[in-house]
Amino acid sequence: MISERLFRHTMPGILFLGSLFVFFLLNSGDPKYVWDMLEKEQYSFLIAILITSPILGLLISTIGIGVLSIFKGYSIYLNNPPNNIKWIVLRDDDELKRKNEKFTSKELRDYFSKEQIYIRNNIKSETLRYLERRWNYFWIHLNNITAIFLSLVFFSFLDYHGEKNTVKEGMLISIVIGIAIYVIFAIVRIWFLRKELIQAEEEAILKKYYS
Protein backbone atom coordinates (compact mmCIF):
# COMPACT_ATOMS: atom_id res chain seq x y z
CA MET A 1 0.00 0.00 0.00
CA ILE A 2 2.87 2.38 0.80
CA SER A 3 4.53 1.57 -2.54
CA GLU A 4 1.24 2.25 -4.37
CA ARG A 5 0.91 5.64 -2.69
CA LEU A 6 4.53 6.46 -3.51
CA PHE A 7 3.93 5.56 -7.15
CA ARG A 8 0.69 7.58 -7.16
CA HIS A 9 2.57 10.68 -6.00
CA THR A 10 5.74 10.09 -8.04
CA MET A 11 3.99 9.78 -11.41
CA PRO A 12 2.37 13.25 -11.48
CA GLY A 13 5.62 14.84 -10.25
CA ILE A 14 7.59 13.35 -13.15
CA LEU A 15 4.77 14.08 -15.60
CA PHE A 16 4.67 17.70 -14.45
CA LEU A 17 8.41 18.13 -15.15
CA GLY A 18 8.14 16.23 -18.44
CA SER A 19 5.21 18.38 -19.57
CA LEU A 20 7.15 21.51 -18.66
CA PHE A 21 9.95 20.29 -20.91
CA VAL A 22 7.52 19.70 -23.79
CA PHE A 23 6.02 23.18 -23.42
CA PHE A 24 9.58 24.55 -23.25
CA LEU A 25 10.29 22.95 -26.64
CA LEU A 26 7.00 24.17 -28.08
CA ASN A 27 8.03 27.70 -27.14
CA SER A 28 11.17 27.32 -29.28
CA GLY A 29 13.26 26.28 -26.30
CA ASP A 30 16.59 24.72 -27.17
CA PRO A 31 16.94 21.19 -25.75
CA LYS A 32 20.71 21.70 -25.75
CA TYR A 33 20.20 24.07 -22.82
CA VAL A 34 18.68 21.22 -20.79
CA TRP A 35 21.26 18.66 -21.92
CA ASP A 36 24.10 21.02 -20.97
CA MET A 37 22.59 21.52 -17.54
CA LEU A 38 22.27 17.76 -17.05
CA GLU A 39 25.83 17.21 -18.22
CA LYS A 40 27.16 19.95 -15.97
CA GLU A 41 25.35 18.72 -12.89
CA GLN A 42 25.91 15.08 -13.87
CA TYR A 43 23.77 12.78 -11.75
CA SER A 44 22.91 15.22 -8.96
CA PHE A 45 20.12 16.79 -11.01
CA LEU A 46 18.52 13.43 -11.78
CA ILE A 47 18.81 12.39 -8.13
CA ALA A 48 17.14 15.66 -7.12
CA ILE A 49 14.28 14.94 -9.54
CA LEU A 50 13.79 11.43 -8.13
CA ILE A 51 13.79 12.73 -4.56
CA THR A 52 11.50 15.71 -5.14
CA SER A 53 9.03 14.03 -7.54
CA PRO A 54 6.94 12.38 -4.78
CA ILE A 55 6.83 15.68 -2.86
CA LEU A 56 5.89 17.57 -6.01
CA GLY A 57 3.31 14.90 -6.81
CA LEU A 58 1.82 15.20 -3.32
CA LEU A 59 1.41 18.95 -3.82
CA ILE A 60 -0.16 18.39 -7.24
CA SER A 61 -2.59 15.75 -5.94
CA THR A 62 -3.55 18.02 -3.03
CA ILE A 63 -4.38 20.81 -5.47
CA GLY A 64 -6.35 18.44 -7.71
CA ILE A 65 -8.39 16.99 -4.85
CA GLY A 66 -8.92 20.46 -3.38
CA VAL A 67 -10.26 21.94 -6.62
CA LEU A 68 -12.45 18.91 -7.29
CA SER A 69 -13.81 19.01 -3.74
CA ILE A 70 -14.76 22.67 -4.11
CA PHE A 71 -16.92 21.90 -7.13
CA LYS A 72 -18.12 18.36 -6.33
CA GLY A 73 -17.74 17.87 -2.57
CA TYR A 74 -18.12 14.28 -1.41
CA SER A 75 -20.13 13.40 -4.50
CA ILE A 76 -16.69 12.56 -5.92
CA TYR A 77 -16.85 9.35 -3.92
CA LEU A 78 -20.51 8.39 -4.00
CA ASN A 79 -23.96 9.30 -5.21
CA ASN A 80 -26.94 9.88 -2.96
CA PRO A 81 -27.26 6.38 -1.41
CA PRO A 82 -30.25 4.15 -2.24
CA ASN A 83 -32.58 3.49 0.70
CA ASN A 84 -31.63 -0.20 0.97
CA ILE A 85 -27.93 0.67 1.29
CA LYS A 86 -28.66 3.51 3.69
CA TRP A 87 -30.71 1.27 5.99
CA ILE A 88 -27.92 -1.30 6.16
CA VAL A 89 -25.10 1.17 6.85
CA LEU A 90 -26.76 3.52 9.34
CA ARG A 91 -27.89 2.78 12.88
CA ASP A 92 -31.59 2.85 13.71
CA ASP A 93 -31.24 6.05 15.74
CA ASP A 94 -29.33 7.90 12.99
CA GLU A 95 -31.24 10.92 11.70
CA LEU A 96 -29.87 10.40 8.19
CA LYS A 97 -31.60 7.03 8.06
CA ARG A 98 -35.03 8.64 8.29
CA LYS A 99 -34.35 11.23 5.59
CA ASN A 100 -35.94 10.44 2.24
CA GLU A 101 -34.79 13.57 0.41
CA LYS A 102 -31.44 13.94 -1.31
CA PHE A 103 -28.57 14.51 1.13
CA THR A 104 -27.03 17.95 1.42
CA SER A 105 -23.26 18.30 0.99
CA LYS A 106 -22.70 18.11 4.75
CA GLU A 107 -25.03 15.10 5.14
CA LEU A 108 -23.31 13.32 2.26
CA ARG A 109 -19.94 13.91 3.96
CA ASP A 110 -21.27 12.47 7.24
CA TYR A 111 -22.81 9.49 5.46
CA PHE A 112 -19.60 8.82 3.51
CA SER A 113 -17.60 8.54 6.75
CA LYS A 114 -20.10 6.07 8.21
CA GLU A 115 -20.26 4.02 5.03
CA GLN A 116 -16.47 3.73 4.87
CA ILE A 117 -16.35 2.59 8.50
CA TYR A 118 -19.00 -0.03 7.71
CA ILE A 119 -17.11 -1.24 4.63
CA ARG A 120 -13.78 -1.53 6.46
CA ASN A 121 -15.35 -3.36 9.40
CA ASN A 122 -17.52 -5.76 7.44
CA ILE A 123 -16.19 -6.34 3.93
CA LYS A 124 -13.68 -9.11 3.16
CA SER A 125 -10.04 -8.12 2.89
CA GLU A 126 -9.84 -9.34 -0.75
CA THR A 127 -12.68 -7.03 -1.74
CA LEU A 128 -11.12 -4.15 0.18
CA ARG A 129 -7.82 -4.62 -1.64
CA TYR A 130 -9.65 -4.66 -4.97
CA LEU A 131 -11.48 -1.43 -4.12
CA GLU A 132 -8.26 0.22 -2.94
CA ARG A 133 -6.45 -0.71 -6.15
CA ARG A 134 -9.27 0.62 -8.33
CA TRP A 135 -9.49 3.88 -6.36
CA ASN A 136 -5.72 4.13 -6.71
CA TYR A 137 -6.06 4.02 -10.51
CA PHE A 138 -8.74 6.71 -10.25
CA TRP A 139 -6.43 9.06 -8.34
CA ILE A 140 -3.41 8.32 -10.55
CA HIS A 141 -5.31 9.47 -13.65
CA LEU A 142 -6.74 12.49 -11.84
CA ASN A 143 -3.32 13.50 -10.51
CA ASN A 144 -1.74 13.10 -13.94
CA ILE A 145 -4.36 15.33 -15.57
CA THR A 146 -3.78 17.92 -12.82
CA ALA A 147 -0.01 17.72 -13.40
CA ILE A 148 -0.37 18.38 -17.14
CA PHE A 149 -2.74 21.29 -16.54
CA LEU A 150 -0.55 22.85 -13.82
CA SER A 151 2.57 22.53 -15.96
CA LEU A 152 0.80 24.51 -18.70
CA VAL A 153 -0.31 27.15 -16.20
CA PHE A 154 3.13 27.32 -14.61
CA PHE A 155 4.92 27.64 -17.94
CA SER A 156 2.57 30.44 -19.06
CA PHE A 157 3.99 32.55 -16.22
CA LEU A 158 7.61 31.92 -17.20
CA ASP A 159 9.19 34.77 -19.14
CA TYR A 160 10.97 32.69 -21.73
CA HIS A 161 11.15 33.31 -25.47
CA GLY A 162 13.65 31.12 -27.27
CA GLU A 163 14.92 31.01 -30.80
CA LYS A 164 14.01 28.27 -33.24
CA ASN A 165 14.97 24.95 -31.67
CA THR A 166 16.45 21.89 -33.33
CA VAL A 167 13.64 19.50 -32.44
CA LYS A 168 11.54 18.40 -35.38
CA GLU A 169 8.11 19.99 -35.38
CA GLY A 170 6.44 16.71 -36.29
CA MET A 171 7.90 15.06 -33.19
CA LEU A 172 6.57 17.81 -30.94
CA ILE A 173 3.13 17.64 -32.54
CA SER A 174 3.09 13.87 -32.00
CA ILE A 175 3.98 14.30 -28.31
CA VAL A 176 1.30 16.96 -27.79
CA ILE A 177 -1.30 14.81 -29.58
CA GLY A 178 -0.28 11.88 -27.38
CA ILE A 179 -0.72 13.98 -24.23
CA ALA A 180 -4.13 15.21 -25.45
CA ILE A 181 -5.26 11.65 -26.24
CA TYR A 182 -4.14 10.50 -22.80
CA VAL A 183 -6.05 13.33 -21.08
CA ILE A 184 -9.24 12.49 -23.01
CA PHE A 185 -9.03 8.77 -22.26
CA ALA A 186 -8.04 9.45 -18.64
CA ILE A 187 -11.14 11.61 -18.13
CA VAL A 188 -13.33 8.87 -19.63
CA ARG A 189 -11.56 6.26 -17.49
CA ILE A 190 -12.07 8.31 -14.34
CA TRP A 191 -15.80 8.56 -15.08
CA PHE A 192 -16.12 4.79 -15.59
CA LEU A 193 -13.94 3.96 -12.58
CA ARG A 194 -16.04 6.15 -10.29
CA LYS A 195 -19.25 4.52 -11.51
CA GLU A 196 -17.76 1.03 -11.22
CA LEU A 197 -16.40 1.61 -7.70
CA ILE A 198 -19.62 3.08 -6.30
CA GLN A 199 -21.54 0.10 -7.67
CA ALA A 200 -18.93 -2.36 -6.34
CA GLU A 201 -19.10 -0.86 -2.84
CA GLU A 202 -22.90 -1.00 -2.80
CA GLU A 203 -22.89 -4.60 -4.03
CA ALA A 204 -20.33 -5.56 -1.37
CA ILE A 205 -22.52 -4.04 1.34
CA LEU A 206 -25.60 -5.90 0.10
CA LYS A 207 -23.70 -9.18 -0.25
CA LYS A 208 -22.39 -8.93 3.31
CA TYR A 209 -25.82 -8.06 4.72
CA TYR A 210 -27.69 -10.89 2.98
CA SER A 211 -24.98 -13.54 3.39
Side-chain angles (χ1 to χ4, degrees), residues 3-14:
S3 60
E4 290 179 354
R5 288 180 179 175
L6 182 61
F7 177 77
R8 191 174 79 195
H9 290 144
T10 302
M11 275 295 295
I14 294 175

Side-chain angles (χ1 to χ4, degrees), residues 118-135:
Y118 181 91
I119 288 174
R120 280 159 177 72
N121 289 338
N122 295 280
I123 305 303
K124 292 180 179 179
S125 58
E126 296 84 358
T127 305
L128 279 177
R129 283 196 293 270
Y130 167 80
L131 292 172
E132 287 172 353
R133 285 196 303 270
R134 302 302 282 174
W135 275 115

